[in-house]
C-alpha cells in the first residue's frame, strides 16, 4: 500500500477561487481526518469521518470550508471562496477505528498558497 | 476541555546532550497519548504511544497522571533526531481522532 495519498502536493491560487484538495485513505481504514498545519496554530483538526459519515466538523473554520467522503476510498476538502489566510499545509490521515491506540497514518500534505 | 500544551517552540541542543520535550494535557477521562514526529520533507509519523511503554530510537515517554504530563526524553541526542515533534491526545470514543499540541522543533547541533 502506498499509504495515504493526497493531491495536489502544491496548490497556488488567487483569492476568491475555489480550491479542492483530495485524499485517498489506506485501504481498509474506516476513519479519515483532515488537519490544517500553520506556524501560528500548529496542527488543527478540521473534520473527521467514520465509515464515510462526518462525525465532527466543529474544527472547520468557516462555511467557506466543506468536506465530503462519497466512498471509503476518497475524500475532498473544498474551500470556496479561498482567502490568503487559508494558506497552510493541509493533511489527511486515516486509521482503523476498531481498537484503542490505533495509529493514524498521514499523507504527505497539500501546501496551499492563496495570493 | 481537551487540550495539549507544548510550551517550547524550539529546543536546541548539542549532540550527545540529554533531551526532554515537554507535553502537558488537559482531559477529564483516561487519556491515550502519543508522540508523532515529522522529519524534514517526510510525512508525520507515529513515534511512540504511552500504552506500549516502548522505547523507539532511544526515546521514551512516561505518562504522569498526577502532573498530567507526557514528556519525551532521550539520554543522548543524535543529529538525526532533528525534527518537529508533536504530542497528541486521543479522547476515548473519538474514533482515534488526535488533538495535537503546537509542536516543538528539536535542533541537534554537531
Amino acid at each position: 500500500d502506498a499509504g495515504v495519498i493526497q493531491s495536489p502536493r502544491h496548490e497556488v491560487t488567487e483569492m476568491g477561487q475555489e480550491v479542492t484538495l483530495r485524499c485517498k485513505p489506506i485501504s481498509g481504514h474506516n476513519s479519515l481526518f483532515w488537519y490544517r498545519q500553520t506556524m501560528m496554530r500548529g496542527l488543527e483538526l478540521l473534520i473527521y469521518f467514520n465509515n464515510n459519515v462526518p462525525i465532527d466538523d466543529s474544527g472547520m473554520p468557516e462555511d467557506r470550508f466543506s468536506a465530503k467522503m462519497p466512498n471509503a476510498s476518497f475524500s475532498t476538502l473544498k474551500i470556496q471562496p479561498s482567502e490568503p489566510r487559508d494558506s497552510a499545509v493541509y493533511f489527511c490521515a486515516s486509521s482503523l477505528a476498531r481498537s484503542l491506540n490505533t495509529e493514524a497514518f498521514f499523507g504527505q500534505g497539500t501546501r496551499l498558497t492563496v495570493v | 476541555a481537551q487540550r495539549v500544551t507544548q510550551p517550547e517552540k524550539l529546543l536546541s541542543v548539542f549532540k550527545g546532550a540529554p533531551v526532554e520535550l515537554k507535553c502537558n494535557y488537559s482531559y477529564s477521562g483516561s487519556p491515550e497519548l502519543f508522540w508523532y514526529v515529522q522529519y524534514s520533507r517526510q510525512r508525520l509519523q507515529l513515534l511512540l504511544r504511552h500504552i506500549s511503554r516502548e522505547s523507539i530510537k532511544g526515546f521514551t515517554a512516561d505518562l504522569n497522571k498526577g502532573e498530567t504530563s507526557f514528556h519525551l526524553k532521550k539520554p543522548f541526542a543524535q543529529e538525526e533526531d532533528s525534527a518537529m515533534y508533536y504530542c497528541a491526545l486521543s479522547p476515548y470514543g473519538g474514533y482515534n481522532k488526535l488533538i495535537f499540541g503546537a509542536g516543538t522543533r528539536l535542533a541537534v547541533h554537531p
Side-chain angles (χ1 to χ4, degrees), chain A residues 5-109:
Chain A
I5 300 173
Q6 291 185 246
S7 64
R9 291 290 308 278
H10 302 274
E11 176 80 36
V12 180
T13 190
E14 291 185 344
M15 182 174 63
Q17 295 298 305
E18 177 180 298
V19 175
T20 299
L21 312 181
R22 296 173 177 79
C23 175
K24 182 180 186 306
I26 291 174
S27 176
H29 283 186
N30 59 359
S31 283
L32 183 139
F33 311 86
W34 282 100
Y35 289 89
R36 178 171 68 175
Q37 184 184 43
T38 60
M39 288 290 289
M40 293 298 295
R41 302 169 72 97
L43 273 163
E44 304 171 274
L45 177 63
L46 301 178
I47 184 172
Y48 66 100
F49 298 82
N50 182 255
N51 292 325
N52 312 338
V53 176
I55 303 299
D56 185 354
D57 66 354
S58 60
M60 297 284 259
E62 301 173 34
D63 291 344
R64 299 183 295 107
F65 286 70
S66 62
K68 294 181 180 179
M69 192 165 186
N71 56 61
S73 59
F74 184 65
S75 177
T76 59
L77 177 68
K78 185 178 293 187
I79 308 172
Q80 165 63 20
S82 58
E83 297 182 3
R85 59 195 167 119
D86 301 331
S87 298
V89 181
Y90 291 81
F91 287 101
C92 176
S94 71
S95 72
L96 182 57
R98 182 181 61 194
S99 60
L100 298 178
N101 283 284
T102 304
E103 179 179 355
F105 293 83
F106 283 76
Q108 296 270 42

Side-chain angles (χ1 to χ4, degrees), chain B residues 12-105:
Chain B
S12 187
V13 301
F14 287 103
K15 176 183 173 182
V19 168
E20 182 178 49
L21 301 171
K22 291 184 167 43
C23 172
N24 288 89
Y25 66 89
S26 174
Y27 181 57
S28 57
S30 280
E32 298 171 37
L33 288 158
F34 306 81
W35 277 98
Y36 277 76
V37 61
Q38 189 175 26
Y39 299 102
S40 179
R41 298 190 187 89
Q42 294 188 28
R43 61 184 73 197
L44 197 64
Q45 58 187 283
L46 177 67
L47 180 62
L48 54 79
R49 64 196 88 186
H50 89 271
I51 200 168
S52 301
R53 293 185 164 273
E54 56 199 346
S55 174
I56 303 293
K57 299 183 178 182
F59 284 97
T60 59
D62 291 320
L63 177 60
N64 185 322
K65 292 185 178 181
E67 297 182 358
T68 60
S69 68
F70 187 56
H71 303 328
L72 183 68
K73 301 178 183 179
K74 185 170 182 176
F76 308 103
Q78 303 299 314
E79 289 181 67
E80 55 265 30
D81 296 329
S82 296
M84 195 74 181
Y85 291 81
Y86 291 95
C87 182
L89 178 153
S90 183
Y92 181 79
Y95 300 97
N96 294 339
K97 77 173 184 180
L98 292 166
I99 298 167
F100 285 92
T104 298
R105 179 165 298 282

